[in-house]
Amino acid sequence: ELESSEETRWIKKELKKLPEIQRDIFYLRHFEEQTYQEIGEHLNIDQNRVKVYLHRARVYMKEQLEKRHAYGLQTG
């Protein structure tokens, strides 16, 4: 439970580093479980832009997560 809450705090901290539009889309998709269409309507942007922004946010979050889990595990 402690690890889970620490991970949640870390995720929230990293999300704050994203540009606002990416952060909003990431949140709406992953936490509110809205569709691309719903997000586009909510933010008044094209669904294709939603997908692009979401992809960028996911790439950033994946990179940060990989860095977090690889920290201290480097050899050489």
Side-chain angles (χ1 to χ4, degrees):
E1 189 175 307
L2 178 62
E3 186 175 316
S4 177
S5 63
E6 182 180 323
E7 193 81 2
T8 300
R9 281 193 301 274
W10 179 85
I11 289 169
K12 288 179 180 179
K13 183 183 88 166
E14 289 302 319
L15 283 174
K16 287 180 183 178
K17 296 177 183 177
L18 288 170
E20 184 178 3
I21 189 73
Q22 290 180 24
R23 181 175 56 244
D24 291 346
I25 290 170
F26 189 93
Y27 180 84
L28 291 170
R29 182 69 178 153
H30 291 286
F31 296 100
E32 298 290 327
E33 299 180 355
Q34 291 188 13
T35 65
Y36 297 125
Q37 181 178 347
E38 290 170 330
I39 295 168
E41 290 171 1
H42 180 79
L43 298 175
N44 198 30
I45 60 175
D46 181 79
Q47 283 186 56
N48 289 325
R49 294 304 314 159
V50 169
K51 291 176 185 178
V52 169
Y53 288 132
L54 182 59
H55 174 73
R56 290 177 183 167
R58 286 175 172 165
V59 166
Y60 172 80
M61 292 301 289
K62 180 180 182 237
E63 288 171 353
Q64 298 311 307
L65 188 61
E66 287 172 347
K67 287 179 186 177
R68 176 179 168 86
H69 289 288
Y71 180 75
L73 300 178
Q74 303 294 328
T75 59

